[in-house]
Amino acid sequence: MTQAPKLGQNFLRDPQASARIAASLGDISQSTIVEIGPGYGAITELLVPRARKVIAVELDHSLALSLRARYSEDRLTVVEQDVLQFDFAAAAAEAGGKLSVVGNLPYYITSPILHRLADAHASLHLAILMVQREVADRVTAEPGTRDYGLLSVTVQLYGPTTDLFTLPPEAFSPPPKVHSTVFRWRLAPRFAELALEPASFITFLRQAFSQKRKTMANNLRAAGLDSARIASALEQAAIPPQARAESLSIESLAALWHALNPPTAPPV
Ligand code: SAM
């Protein structure tokens, strides 16, 4: 049996793919870029000559050391750290503006990284990320499609996603077992526009999507909500009683959340 590489280390060996990833960031001459997991620098080497500043966050000590030796500190700062501990807000404050993020991600921590970036949304402008193809399919899926679910909604709540391109295993060394897809994520959270309270809405989404085969009404009942309250909220939000969460847009889910959480009347 082949072993999964240490720390999700599948290094890009396709220079055209590196160039497309770097180009997907657009004009970066005035930007500070955070690269997640630079490895041997397949993407980094294209960013350093173009960006105002690059911060490369690498957990592997020997990779961090060799990258640091290649560039002067004023163009590239190598931070030897777990990206899940990286302080995006402090880096944005130091850069004097929002950051762009890029990375051929270590796949073993894809979800935690996406959540970390969502949490850091106020410090971020754009992310260009390579993930396992199946994850990209979910992150960019539209309502009613096979891949649409809780991950699609939670990521897209923080901004629109677009599939960019897919690479076969042979584009990497060692080749992973899966295809990989690069997607773009513009960080532009929708909470204010949809008048949502983030923590409450995300809890509601977890309940609504808890069991894929069940109707949303059944999932909400299982989470302890009253049947009559659910039925009337569905009607108010113009959602059929048998609807499954997987068929609903963020706007419809927001309408349902509002119907379930009417604003409390001001005291008289
Ligand atoms: N960017 C390089 C490339 O495309 O060739 C390397 C990509 S490789 C898929 C993932 C990189 O993330 C590796 O260099 C690995 O050491 C690094 N890494 C793994 N876990 C990490 C973590 N928790 N924080 C930061 N970097 C990590």
Side-chain angles (χ1 to χ4, degrees):
M1 207 174 77
T2 51
Q3 260 198 328
K6 182 188 99 168
L7 296 177
Q9 293 178 336
N10 298 101
F11 300 102
L12 251 180
R13 59 185 201 99
D14 174 347
Q16 281 190 352
S18 299
R20 286 178 81 181
I21 293 171
S24 302
L25 286 161
D27 176 4
I28 54 173
S29 54
Q30 301 307 313
S31 309
T32 295
I33 310 292
V34 175
E35 185 184 1
I36 299 173
Y40 289 107
I43 303 167
T44 330
E45 65 189 14
L46 302 177
L47 303 176
V48 171
R50 291 177 173 81
R52 186 165 71 105
K53 179 94 206 273
V54 180
I55 302 169
V57 186
E58 175 57 64
L59 184 58
D60 184 304
H61 176 65
S62 61
L63 289 174
L65 263 187
S66 72
L67 203 55
R68 212 172 264 148
R70 271 167 61 188
Y71 297 97
S72 69
E73 170 78 18
D74 60 324
R75 304 306 304 267
L76 175 72
T77 303
V78 180
V79 179
E80 189 183 326
Q81 189 181 33
D82 177 354
V83 69
L84 300 176
Q85 307 299 325
F86 181 72
D87 189 341
F88 287 94
E94 201 180 324
K98 291 191 182 189
L99 311 163
S100 290
V101 176
V102 67
N104 168 14
L105 299 188
Y107 293 172
Y108 74 104
I109 47 167
T110 300
S111 274
I113 291 174
L114 295 179
H115 284 111
R116 180 94 187 147
L117 296 179
D119 286 345
H121 64 84
S123 307
L124 308 179
H125 157 65
L126 171 72
I128 303 291
L129 304 173
M130 170 125 59
V131 297
Q132 182 175 335
R133 178 170 62 185
E134 290 71 15
V135 174
D137 287 347
R138 288 163 62 204
V139 158
T140 59
E142 299 198 359
T145 60
R146 188 197 59 188
D147 295 310
Y148 185 76
L150 183 60
L151 183 66
S152 326
V153 178
T154 41
V155 169
Q156 292 171 30
L157 253 180
Y158 288 90
T161 54
T162 314
D163 227 317
L164 296 180
F165 59 94
T166 294
L167 294 173
E170 309 78 72
F172 304 87
S173 175
K177 292 202 175 72
V178 292
H179 279 63
S180 299
T181 296
V182 177
F183 76 96
R184 178 196 298 123
W185 188 14
R186 284 201 185 283
L187 281 295
R190 303 196 59 197
F191 297 106
E193 166 210 343
L194 297 169
L196 298 167
E197 200 281 294
S200 161
F201 187 60
I202 286 168
T203 302
F204 158 75
L205 290 176
R206 291 208 182 102
Q207 296 168 341
F209 282 92
S210 58
Q211 292 213 42
K212 213 177 163 76
R213 286 175 205 286
K214 290 195 173 172
T215 64
M216 189 168 49
N218 275 340
N219 280 337
L220 293 175
R221 250 192 301 277
L225 275 76
D226 173 70
S227 297
R229 184 173 160 218
I230 297 169
S232 110
L234 285 170
E235 193 180 342
Q236 201 183 319
I239 296 171
Q242 297 303 315
R244 294 191 306 134
E246 287 77 9
S247 68
L248 299 177
S249 64
I250 292 181
E251 290 79 4
S252 292
L253 290 160
L256 181 59
W257 179 83
H258 278 291
L260 286 167
N261 298 280
T264 44
V268 261

